[in-house]
Structure formats: C-alpha cells, structure tokens
Amino acid sequence: MTRPSRRLHDELFAAPALLECFSDRARVQGMLDFEAALARAEAEAGVIPAGAAARIAEQCRAEHFDLDELAASAVRAGNVAIPLVHALTSAVAREDPAAARYVHFGATSQDAMDTGLVLELRAALDWFDAELGRLNDTLAALAWEHRSTWLLGRTWLQPAPPVTFGMKAAGWLSATLRSRERLLALRRRVLVLELGGAAGTLASLGEHGLDVATRLAGARKLTLPELPWHAERDRLAELASALGILTGSLGKFARDVALLLQSEVGEVSAAAVPGRGGSSTMPHKQNPVGAAVILAAATRVPALVATLLSGMTQEHERGLGGWQAEWDTLPELCLLASGALAHALELARAVDVDARRMRANFEATGGVVLGEAVALALAPHLGRPLAHALVERACRRAAAEGLRLVDVLAAEREVTSHLSSEALEALCDPERYLGLAETWVDRVLESHARRPSRDEPCP
Amino acid sequence: MTRPSRRLHDELFAAPALLECFSDRARVQGMLDFEAALARAEAEAGVIPAGAAARIAEQCRAEHFDLDELAASAVRAGNVAIPLVHALTSAVAREDPAAARYVHFGATSQDAMDTGLVLELRAALDWFDAELGRLNDTLAALAWEHRSTWLLGRTWLQPAPPVTFGMKAAGWLSATLRSRERLLALRRRVLVLELGGAAGTLASLGEHGLDVATRLAGARKLTLPELPWHAERDRLAELASALGILTGSLGKFARDVALLLQSEVGEVSAAAVPGRGGSSTMPHKQNPVGAAVILAAATRVPALVATLLSGMTQEHERGLGGWQAEWDTLPELCLLASGALAHALELARAVDVDARRMRANFEATGGVVLGEAVALALAPHLGRPLAHALVERACRRAAAEGLRLVDVLAAEREVTSHLSSEALEALCDPERYLGLAETWVDRVLESHARRPSRDEPCP
Amino acid sequence: MTRPSRRLHDELFAAPALLECFSDRARVQGMLDFEAALARAEAEAGVIPAGAAARIAEQCRAEHFDLDELAASAVRAGNVAIPLVHALTSAVAREDPAAARYVHFGATSQDAMDTGLVLELRAALDWFDAELGRLNDTLAALAWEHRSTWLLGRTWLQPAPPVTFGMKAAGWLSATLRSRERLLALRRRVLVLELGGAAGTLASLGEHGLDVATRLAGARKLTLPELPWHAERDRLAELASALGILTGSLGKFARDVALLLQSEVGEVSAAAVPGRGGSSTMPHKQNPVGAAVILAAATRVPALVATLLSGMTQEHERGLGGWQAEWDTLPELCLLASGALAHALELARAVDVDARRMRANFEATGGVVLGEAVALALAPHLGRPLAHALVERACRRAAAEGLRLVDVLAAEREVTSHLSSEALEALCDPERYLGLAETWVDRVLESHARRPSRDEPCP
Amino acid sequence: MTRPSRRLHDELFAAPALLECFSDRARVQGMLDFEAALARAEAEAGVIPAGAAARIAEQCRAEHFDLDELAASAVRAGNVAIPLVHALTSAVAREDPAAARYVHFGATSQDAMDTGLVLELRAALDWFDAELGRLNDTLAALAWEHRSTWLLGRTWLQPAPPVTFGMKAAGWLSATLRSRERLLALRRRVLVLELGGAAGTLASLGEHGLDVATRLAGARKLTLPELPWHAERDRLAELASALGILTGSLGKFARDVALLLQSEVGEVSAAAVPGRGGSSTMPHKQNPVGAAVILAAATRVPALVATLLSGMTQEHERGLGGWQAEWDTLPELCLLASGALAHALELARAVDVDARRMRANFEATGGVVLGEAVALALAPHLGRPLAHALVERACRRAAAEGLRLVDVLAAEREVTSHLSSEALEALCDPERYLGLAETWVDRVLESHARRPSRDEPCP
C-alpha cells in the first residue's frame, strides 16, 4: 500500500534542486552523513575501533532504508532519528555485530537531525547564491539596457513624475544584491556542527568530547560552535528571516511586473513559455503564472518566519514543541523562497519592454505628472504654496477637459508672466525631467560589479 | 524515476484519516467529482447530451490519472486543474470523441478546484466533529472522575489557592465544546458550491446557468451560494480561524499536562504507549511525544491562519497570488489541527492522576497559598490592606524558615485575637477552600450533555 | 512632565468612536464598572455591607484617577489593576475607612481586567454592527444602481469576460454580510462575565460565590459562563478572527477600488474629500488615502490575529506571557479593523462609476475576452480542444495586429462555416454575455434584506 | 479637549529611553531634522538662499508644533509629513515669507518620514547595543560564577543528564552575543539617507540632486544609498528580523528562568524588587513580572516581523498600504524588544542560584538520568541495544519503587559482572558526568571577550 502524498504543487512552487535537497531521502542521507562522520571521528579519536567506523560508514546510504517504515516509527519515537538509528544499528549488526555497538555512539537524536539539516541548508545556500547571481546579472542587464527608457512613475498607484525602466530594475537589483550579501554573511553563523549528546555536555564521550567534535566539524567542513545550540535557535531564525526578506523583495518585483502586464497598462510583456499560463476556459488568456507563484510565496513566507521566531522559546537543554515546529517549517520556507527565486529569474529573463506604450501612457495623462516641475519653477516667483495651488488647479482642468497640462498652463497669465513658452515646454518634457534616474542605475550597477563572491571571505 | 517526497513526519503530525482526505489522490478525486457532477447536471438541464455526461462520469476516477504527470504539467499551466481537464478530455475522447467536447463545459479551473476542496473539507469537518466528540467525552469523564481531586492552583507559574483536577479538565472541555460549536456553525457558510465560469457570471451556460448550478449543488449536497466566491475568501478564512482556535485550546491543554508531567511536579503521568517517547540515548527517558506534537501544532497553526487572512485581498474576479497561497496552506492547517486533536485524545485517555503527589506538592508550600483565605477572614477586623500585609509577612517567614503558614499565623497576636485556632486550621485546610470548583465542573458537564449534534440544525 | 505619546496616526488608522472605547480612561472605567458592580452584587448577596458598596461605587469614576501614576505603578505590579485597586481603596478610605475593606473583595486582578475588557468589547461590537449596517446599505445601493453596468472582468490581473459593476459590489457585500453575521453570532460566547478570584474557584466568597457571580453578570447584562476563562482564551481569539476576516474582506474591496482608480484603468473615481490625499510635492496628485489605510490594516491585522492565537497556550489557572500579550494586541486589532471599516464606508460612498471608460477599456482589448463565448459555440461543431485552439490563435492575431476579434474570426472559414455573421456578432457582444451577473446581484440583495438584526435572537 | 491615549502599559512593556525615541515629539523632530538639514544642504549646493536655510532651520523644533493638530490633519492628508510641512511653511512665513518658499524644497513626504525614522532607529540601535552589552556582561558573570554549579539537565521538560548553570547562562549569552553582532552588521544597510523626491529621481533638484543628497547624508552622518529605497523595504525588514531574533532568544531565557522559579523546582529565585509582582489578592505571591513581560514580547514580536515582511510587496515607486503598515509596526516592535531586553537585564541581575535545591532535585530522580553513562559503559560489553534495554528496565524499577538507580544496578548480575562497584558509583556521580560543560562556558566567555565594539568597523 502506498502512503498518501501531497506534492501536486511541488514543482510549481519550488525549484527542483531544492526539492531534492529537502526530500525525505536527502534528510535521511543528511543524518546518515552525520552518523558516518561521527563514527570516523570517534575512531580517529580512539573512542571506537577503526573497523567499526568503517562498517558503520558503509551502511550510511539512504537508499538502503525504508522511508515509509521510518515515518511510521517516527509516530511512536517522536522523531525520525530514533528509528533511523535503530535501523542503521540493525543493518550494521547484520554485517558486524560488534561494530553495531558503536552506532550513534554518545550522540543524541537532535545532533543527527540538526547536523543533517545544516548539511542540507549548505546545499540550499549554495543554490541560492548561484541562482541569485543569475538573477542579479539578469536584472543588471535589464537596468543597463533600459537605463534611459522612460515611463510614468507611479506612487500610491497613481501617476507620478517619470522614471526610467532601468531605474526600476536597479531598484529591484539593489534589494536582491543586499539579500545575497545577507545570505553570505550568515553562513558562518548557520553552517555549524551540532554535537552535544543527551544534555549538550558530550559527557557521553568522556575526555574525548572536544576532540571528536573538532574532527567531526572538520570532516564535514562545518564550524565548531562555542557550544551546542540544541535550544538556542537564533541561527535558523536568521536564515529564515534572510529568506523571508529575499522573498519579500521578489514579491515587490513580481507585483510591479504584474501591474505593468495589465492590459490597460501594457508597458511590459512576458514572452509566454509555450503552454504556460493558458486558461482552461478562456482562449485569449495568458496568465502571469510566475508572478502568481512569487506573490503566493510572498504571502506565505512571512508567516513561516514568524513560526520560526515564535518557536524560539525552547525549554532548558532541549525544548518541547518549539523544536518540532521547525522540522517541516524551515524546509517549506526554503522551498517557497526557491520557487519564488526561480520564477523571478525566469520572469526577469522574459520581460519585454514596450517603450512606445510607456510613452502613450504618459501622453494619456496630459502630462499632469510634470506639474511638480512647473510648480518648482514657479515657486521662486510665487512662493511654493501659491505655485502648488495654481498648478493643482491647472492639473484638474487638464484632467477634466482632456487637455495637455502644458496647454492649460500656457493660457495662464500668472504662468506666462514668469515662464517663457520655451521654458514651459522644456519643463513639461518628460525626457528632461528624469533627474538622477541614470545616475542611480550606474551606482547600483557599480555595486553589482563589486559584489562579494562566496569564495572571498564574506564581509 | 520517483519524485522527491517530503512526508517523513506526516503520520507524526497529522491524523491518518486527514492525510487521506488531503492526499493528492483525494484532491484529484475531488475535482473529478466536480466534473462528473457538472456533466450530469448539464445533461439534466439539457445543456449537453445525457450520453456524454455518462461517458465523462465514467472516467472521473482519480486512480486512472498519473499524478506525477499532472504535477509536472501544473508548472506550466499554473494550476493542476488545467492539465487534469486535458487528461480527462483525452480519456473521454479515447472512448467517445463526441462526449469529450463536453468535459468541464462552461466551468473554470477554480470552479473545479474550489468545489473539490469543499468536498474534502466536508470530510475533514465530519472527522473533526467525531474526534472532538470523543475528546469531549474523554475530558468529561476526567472532569467527573476528578471533580473533587484537589491540587495546587498555579498562576503566573507560581502556587495559588487550590483547585480540583476536575475543574482543570472542565476548563479544557469548555473550550473544546465551544470549538465544536463553531465548527458546526460554519458548515453552512463553508460547504457551498463554487461554479461561476471564467469571470463568475456563468455566461458560458447561457440561460441554463442557474439551473445547472442548482442541480450541481443539490447533487453534491452543497449549498448554492448567493454568488460565486472566487475572490471572496472569508469562508475559508473562517474555517482556518476555527481550526486555529481549536489548536490553541489543545495547546493550552498540552502545556498544562506537560507542566504536570515534569518530574519535579509529577502530579500526572501519561501511561506510555510502548515504544513511544523513548530516547535514542537516555534509557530513563519517557518523552511526552503527544504534548510535543500538539505544542508544535499550536506554534505553527497561528501563522497559517495569518497566511489565509493575508491572502484575502484577492484582485477583481480572481486574484493573483492570494488564491495560490491557499492551496497548500489550508490542507496543511487542517492536517496539523487533526494531529493535535488526535494526540490530544490519546493524551487525555492516558492521563493518570497522582492525588498523593498533589497533596505532597501542596504540603511542600507550607500552605502559604491559603494566605488569601486568612487575609479575607482578617479583613473585616483589620481592613484589607493591613490583613493582606500581615499575611504577606507570615508567608515570607513560612517560606524562609520552611514552616507551615498555619503555625506561623498561630503565633501572631493580631491573628489569634480575631481567629480561634479551630477557625485558623479550617481556613488553612485546602479541602475547605475549593469554592465553586465542583459547581464549575457540573456546569460544564451540563453544557456537554446539551451539546448540539451535527444532525440537528446547528445553532 | 508629560509622558511620551505615540498617537500621531490614531485618527488616520482608527474610528474615533473606537479610540474612545479603548482609551486609557475607558479601560480604567471598565475595571471600575466591574468593581462597582462587584461591590453591589456582594452587598445584595449579603457578603459586604450595603453602605460599603455604595461608598465604593461612588468612587468608581475614571476621571478621579491619575492615569500616569497607574501606568508608572503597573511597571512594578505587573498589571494596571493592582495599582488601580490600591488607588480605589485609598479613595474609598478617605471617605469611609470601613468601606475600604470591601474594595475588590474576593476578586483577582484578571477578573477586573477581563470583565472591563468585555464591557469595552461590547461597545465596540455595537459600533461594528451599526457601521457594518451602513456599509452594507451603501454597497447594496451600489449593487442595485450598477446591476447592469458592464465592464471587463479581470482574473490573474488579466482581462476576462465581462461582469457588471453591480456584481462586483454584490461580491463585496456578500462578504461583509457574512462578517456581520459572524460578529452577531459570537456575542454570546464573548460577552461573558469573568469572576473567579485568585485561582478561579471563587473560594474567597465562600458559599456566596455563585450568587454574587450571577448578580454581577445580570447587573452588567453579561452572560455567566460555565466557569471562569482566565486561561481559556478562545473567546477573544474568536473575536479577533472575526475582525481579521472582516478586515480581509475590506482589503479585497480596497484593492479592487485602488486598481480601478489607476489612471490607466480609470473606471472608478472616488470624489476627493477636499484636502484629502494631496501630495506634498505633486500638484496633480489625488492619493487614495482611504484605500491605503484599509490595505495597511489588511496587512497588519492578520499578524495580530496570529498573536492572539499563539498566546492561547496559557499555563494552568492563569498564564505567564500569553495573557499579557493580549492586553494591547486586541485593542489594536479592534482599532485597525474599525479604521478599515470607517474608511471602507467613506470609500464606498465616494465611488463614482465611469461606464464610458468601462466600455472603452473593453473595446481596447479588441473583444478577445469573448473568445470563450465563441469557443463554446464552436465546441459542439469542432470539439472543445480544437475550438479552443482556433480561438486562441485568433485572439493572438487580434492582439498582435490591433484588430477586433470579431473581425479576425469573420475571416476564418472554420468559423463562418458554423456560425452566421449575426451569430458571431451576437457572441461578441458583451451585453449579451453577462450570464447571471444580474441574478447574482438580486440574490445578494435578497440576503441583505433578510439580514438578522442584533435585536433578534441571532442564528 | 484631550485626545484619548493608550499608554497604560507603555512603561511596563518598553524601555523608557525607547519610549522617548519613538514618541510623537521625537518622530516630528526626526522629520524636522531632515527638513533643516535639507535646507542647509540645498543652500550649500546653491539651490536655495543661505538665509532661507537658516530661517527654516530655526523653526525646526518639534516643541513649536501642535501634535494634536498634526494628527487631525493626517487623517485628510494621509500622512503626518504633509501637515507638518504646511505648518513649518507657515511658521517660516511668519518670520520670513521669502524663505518659506524653500521649505521641503524638492523633497517628498516619504523622504522626510523615512529619514526621520532612520534617525530614530539610529538612536534605538545605539541603546540596544549598550543595553545588550550590559546584559552580556551580566550573563558572562553568571556563567563564570556558576561554571561548575551542576543541576539536572532537562529535555522535552523531562530530566536529563546534568549540566552546569554556567553552561545554561553561556547558552543564553551565546545567543545574545550573536544578536549584538547582527545588530552591528546591519547598521550600514539601515542607517541610510532617504531622498528621492516625488518619484525617486530627485528631478526636482535638477543638476544639484546628487550634490544635495551627498551633503545631506554627510550632515546627518548617514550613508548615501545607491538609490532611494521608497518601495524597497528590505532594510527595515532586516532590522525587524534582527530584533525579532533577539526577542526570541530573550524569550528562551525568560522561559528557562520561569520554569526554574516554579516552587516545585525552586532552583533559582529572582530577588524581588520591592512592590514588584505582588498579587491583588494573594498575599504569598511573587509574580515573575519580568519573565511575563519578556514572554509577552516573544509572543507578539514574531507577528510584527511578519507584518513588515508581508508589507514588502510595495507597488512601483511608492506603495499603497504596505508602507503605511510600517509606520506604527516598526516602532512597536522596537519598543517591545526594548522592554524585553530591559527586563532581561533586570532578571539576569536578580537571578539567585540555589545549588542545594539543584542537588536535591537531582537526588529526587534517584539518579536515573545517569543511566546513559552506565549504558555507555556497558555497551562495549553487551552491545548498545542490550545495554540500553537493561538500564531502561533498571530506571523504571528505580522510579517505580523510589530507589536509587545505582542501588538497582548494583543488584544486577549483568552489571556487576562488567563493572566494579567503584566504577558503578563513579558512573552515577553527577559531578563526574559534566563532560564539556565548563569547556563550553570558557569558549563562550572567550567569544564574549572578543566581541566587536560599535567603534570598530563591524564585521
């Protein structure tokens, strides 16, 4: 009989690499990697016989274990490490009963589960770094290509003075650059060994505790922490937060694109992957699937971060409830963030800018968004309040009567007595009112060029 | 090649019945049940040929569909209903190409997904009702059995005047009674059909829309809502909230039991299921696995409720991101609540009360918790503040010197001049200071006896 | 010296009536109302002298107490009820030292704080009911007025077949009708007395406990619960959830309106309150302040619901941390919901529909959204898949070349051989493709007309 | 008429310094500091007359503004910056009408609000750094003093092998050390200027934009960001997360202490501040107020972090709803974290360890928690599973019959044939089974000694 699965949306919401990374098999392999390395470290430290370590390590292959049986046993054991250790012990005993005595020697379930998790998280962090690198390169290319492609700015979902599409892309990029920076910086706090035995003292290993821990950390290329962190979970909460922030920034990107994709705006299209986003009923439809997935992740991830934070108040040496709350929450959070990132990369690559439509949308406003420019120019003559009020009135008239602002203003004595018609035209020319848009792009691209790599010591 | 699964903790965290209920197969079957019923309703209404409906209904069996393929196609389609409709259409076409034209006729993906979900939720609600009934009966029995078994009250995690264990159980019960009431009351708002077609108007069915919808709702024993609720998700949010509240109340129960199980308190034991809660390293250990699972659920579920609430701001006729955020969140929430409930039932059944230890823990406080009684008795003579201060002093002395409060007080002139030694002894007798504890138990049990059943019209 | 305040955004984010309701003065008055009624009930029950009750009640006026001093003392006492009881005792003592002995007699701080809170919540619930009534009437009027005003439907933020604006309004209304229903139904679970004394047994009142509790509940027109609920907080969590759901539905309304207000869509305007929503820098700007406030509430409230749910695991007779977490969270949640509701009412009243623009936006799509209608009409002839594909192709061509779909289709042999040009024109006429839009409106309005009132026994 | 306030719990839940920091007056002053510095920077850059800048700066004192009026006007304006700019303009105009033209020149409301906020956050971060320094010193002293004071370890709230109290303190300290590190590292991402004008381009300042921004950042000692961050809010989300993590770690500390304070455990007392934690009704009561406040914060803060993350999907150049959701949430989060930290410091200073009680609690378990040691010693002789089972049986017998484990084991042939009675006694001696407890303490204290200071370039 097969056990019920729930993975219909797995590939939609998560990146394939991360699905592998947090699969049942990978979780079990993570724990087995811990057990194998523990045995070897203990053998090197003279705690257990070298032969036993070799026998144990040989059996530490996830594909030899029955995942369904482990899951069933976890119901009674309270976690999956206990039945796994039992199964591993039996497997070793079948080959070498003497060696079986040394399986999991001196460790506690949480040592295996936490270290196994950290090994999975390292693989996940490597993937995030690489994929973020790709996204950042793509956004940088967009920013550079459209450094000067101007369009309506929009604030409070209402028209505002013009910006450039490159500046928009640079804004998205600046956030994902900072996210990558955070994900690099936390590696040294997160990628640490867990080894403390029952209550964290490693008393089970007598005088060899520190030696074994040091060797084990070294073998798995993890940092040896100051002390075990069974009930101090800030390390995981930091990772969760950093991914939460990344997902939030991707959500902002997706929302922007989705708004630009509206048929009434139409300034961007996202060249459809064939078959992607069709409707079951509407032949004309191209649903922005990627944006939907990213926004769904941005809706779900914040709550998962809160769960990790709420679960931090873990009792004494190892907690009751808080730790268990992490087991599925952190992988799910990583998966959702990975899906958002993968879809963001695909979306960024698909974005196609329609500069003509951008111009048309600007024209359709009558240019009232440049009222600010005129008001500022009039301010020295009339004072800011008066200038603001005059232009506000003109904007309303332009909107109400479907006129261009420049034409309404050109008919106002109070304007023409201070501004020549050339000056007025210039003030109402969006291309002349882009301020630092291109400078901002350059600054972000510079920062992108300077980005730290994972191989350098991180800042 | 098998797809990666993540279900190592499924049986630990969820009730088996609910795992079935929200399995991939069940979700697909839910949608197919919709498609079959839709076709039949359309045939009855004369929209499609009766023969076509029969052909379609024949194919609506989840076991005929390749779930992995559906999941893979969902990546491009953006949801799983679209590839399912394609696959169903192909399956029908293989038997009867003419009938295939009428698959999913006039409906939209979300109609199938939402109605399918509602059918799953109905099964889940039935299970919750039954299991809550069992839990309530168990708690009622506990309350009745220990109606008069007294123990220290505890407030702010500090000793307080005595209560009875029955009153504690009655408190837990009162909350789960209200939860059951809420879950019954929301059925008429939640168990409703979704059928609106592309934009909710059912224009695709021309003049037959209302007829088809009415028949379809009737066939599936669902309520026909005033209008489709594609983007109005308060119904689901209400269910999520009600389960969130239930889980919170179960968390309170689990925390109480876990605290009573501490070896230093030891007033309760939870007869261990053999093999349950052993430690991988500590032979003496009996971990309260059930309590841990419930508390983990109580840590995770609130955030999932927040996700559902956050996702409610869905755009226009059908939203972008908010709807997708529900897909896995609501099932997960139901599963976690089901696990908490199942473990709570098991825990309630296992609870074994140690009345001797309760007495001993009371004695160990020196009886200071009855200071309130003495202070109240002295208040008419000395005024409340003075009486309070006098007893406070005596309590500190009793604690500091390891004396019984009654003995300290008996040595105080200000006390003995107002209270006889019999009166003082009586005031310091916990059995005489239980107030309404038994009355409260009776009142809750009465309410339990009066509980509405699912078959009666709910309140 | 004045204490620092933080209320710059109070009036922006909350309804004035609710700001009063949860002000420091009102919270203190709520507790004092409890103390006065407690004394009277105790006098009636013969527990304390009638004269003392009168003296106590006389002093129970919040304006006589120094709120700053109470707040300062709360730091040491751990809550505000303790210093309030001290201050009340002193105040009574100044008039009648004998009566002072009977202040707060037999009660605990939480009795006063919880009952005081419930009295505030009743006032809040009354306000919500009335304001929701006004909102529902306004939405009903909108739905009726625009029962047939058609516009593009939009799904996934992309164009979809037409709906009517009345149907949109009916959708909003259906949700707020259900919210009102929920808020009525929970009154009997929420509007209950809290009176249990130190550990909930009311032992402090000896044999008079139930009599006093009954009288007190009656005097304040509250329900007497089965037992005290000091540590069972589902009642408050239910209220929080119901307001969370309401806020979510209002958020959906606000997002819809904000999207319609975009200058590129422009199908709705919200006649600006003079001075509302101007920009500090942009003269042309009319910021949708109301929508922003509602959406901010919809962003903030879900998390506050989660806090209430997370805080439910309260220890034993009265908890440590969970209760304290409620104190400011629940009022804040009520305030944010009230602000959202008040702004929603104002926004609903201001909404002005531009039917011409709706038509224009439809025309601008080339009518491709009616592809569904044509595909359905062709399906019996060509089969659903072929019909769908043919129309999909035509839609792409229409979009790419800026043609009307009807014209593209009229040039297709496969279409014209099955559909006459009249039939094709009819299929592409949005007014003929509104399906049940008006029926849905009628059904919701009927439900609105049937709505329960607070005076009837609620369902 | 005074406006309703809600600050009864302000001093209980927040540190006084932070209440000042986020008071209405401070928020207004933060914006005025921006306006003054903007005017000066513009004067230096030659954009406005030097005299005007001086006139403007003179008026930028919060005490000159009517906060109630600003709050009232915010209702219509949608934020508080707009009426503040109006009021400032009027104030300047009264002295120098010409200068009034240059108030807020070229900036947008959000520039003033965000930069003002950053200035407040800097003050808050300085306070957190200093207070965390004090807490860390206190915890370090505790860890050192009790480096070897042994007590029962506890996992899953059940007895476990012994640890030392110093190791517990070192665990708390290790987490708060990492929190301080995070709060230092984020300064360069958070303490940045916001200046972009209406749509972020600073077009309003023509060619002088970058010059003004650079001068303004320099004057306020803020970093000039790559580009304005009006709608990219990861900076604030990072701060929120870091404070959320800190609060979680403090919650873990408070829960541990609260559990140790239980009368049945009694291993720690927290010397009561006079008047702190008394009960309104129970004379014997010493409520752990500080722990309650910290745990309340740990319950509330995670949800506020989620709010900030949820609010990140802000639309285009400046968002609708997401930004507004931050205004009160971030200060509230800072305040709650500050209260938790201040109470944690007070609690850490008050903690008094009762080593005798620690020993007694260990004895009361019969020493079964050392079963692990015996099982490990027997494992080489019997194999791990057999050894484990044998000791498990002995533990159950010891518990059931109230015997010492060592005595039960001494009567078992299978034990005595492998272990001498001296060896057995040694294995069952808690002082000899502390493993690396002291080493862990030393490692954390070393890390504490190495801690970066704010004055050094942060890592």
Side-chain angles (χ1 to χ4, degrees), chain D residues 372-390:
Chain D
E372 178 194 46
V374 182
L376 283 166
L378 290 172
H381 307 287
L382 309 175
R384 215 176 55 87
L386 226 70
H388 195 92
L390 185 157

Side-chain angles (χ1 to χ4, degrees), chain B residues 101 181 189 256 316 380 436, chain C residues 101 181 189 201 256 316 380:
Chain B
R101 302 177 183 177
E181 192 178 311
R189 282 187 290 267
D256 281 358
H316 293 311
L436 296 171
Chain C
R101 300 177 184 178
E181 192 178 310
R189 283 185 291 267
T201 62
D256 281 358
H316 293 311

Side-chain angles (χ1 to χ4, degrees), chain B residues 101 154 156 178 181-182 188-189 200-201 234 238 252 256 314 316-318 380 436 440, chain C residues 101 154 156 178 181-182 188-189 200-201 234-235 238 252 256 314 316-318 380 436 440:
Chain B
R101 302 177 183 177
R154 290 173 183 99
W156 297 63
R178 285 188 294 276
E181 192 178 311
R182 284 181 202 104
R188 68 195 179 83
R189 282 187 290 267
T201 61
D234 59 293
E238 182 179 6
K252 188 263 186 292
D256 281 358
Q314 297 183 13
H316 293 311
E317 279 58 67
R318 288 195 280 124
L436 296 171
W440 297 144
Chain C
R101 300 177 184 178
R154 291 174 181 99
W156 298 63
R178 286 188 294 275
E181 192 178 310
R182 284 180 203 107
R188 66 197 179 83
R189 283 185 291 267
T201 62
D234 59 292
R235 301 171 191 275
E238 182 179 5
K252 187 263 186 292
D256 281 358
Q314 298 185 12
H316 293 311
E317 278 56 67
R318 288 195 279 123
L436 295 170
W440 297 143

Side-chain angles (χ1 to χ4, degrees), chain A residues 101 154 156 178 181-182 188-189 200-201 234-235 238 252 256 314 316-318 380 436 440, chain D residues 101 154 178 181-182 188-189 200-201 234-235 238 252 256 314 316-318 380 436 440:
Chain A
R101 300 177 185 178
R154 292 171 182 101
W156 299 64
R178 284 188 295 275
E181 190 178 312
R182 283 182 203 104
R188 67 195 179 86
R189 282 186 292 266
T201 61
D234 58 293
R235 301 170 191 275
E238 182 179 5
K252 187 265 185 290
D256 281 358
Q314 298 185 12
H316 294 311
E317 278 58 67
R318 287 195 279 123
L436 296 171
W440 298 143
Chain D
R101 299 177 184 177
R154 292 174 181 99
R178 285 189 293 275
E181 193 177 309
R182 284 180 203 105
R188 66 195 180 86
R189 282 187 290 266
T201 61
D234 59 293
R235 302 171 190 275
E238 181 178 7
K252 188 265 185 289
D256 281 358
Q314 298 185 12
H316 293 310
E317 278 57 67
R318 288 196 279 124
L436 295 171
W440 298 144

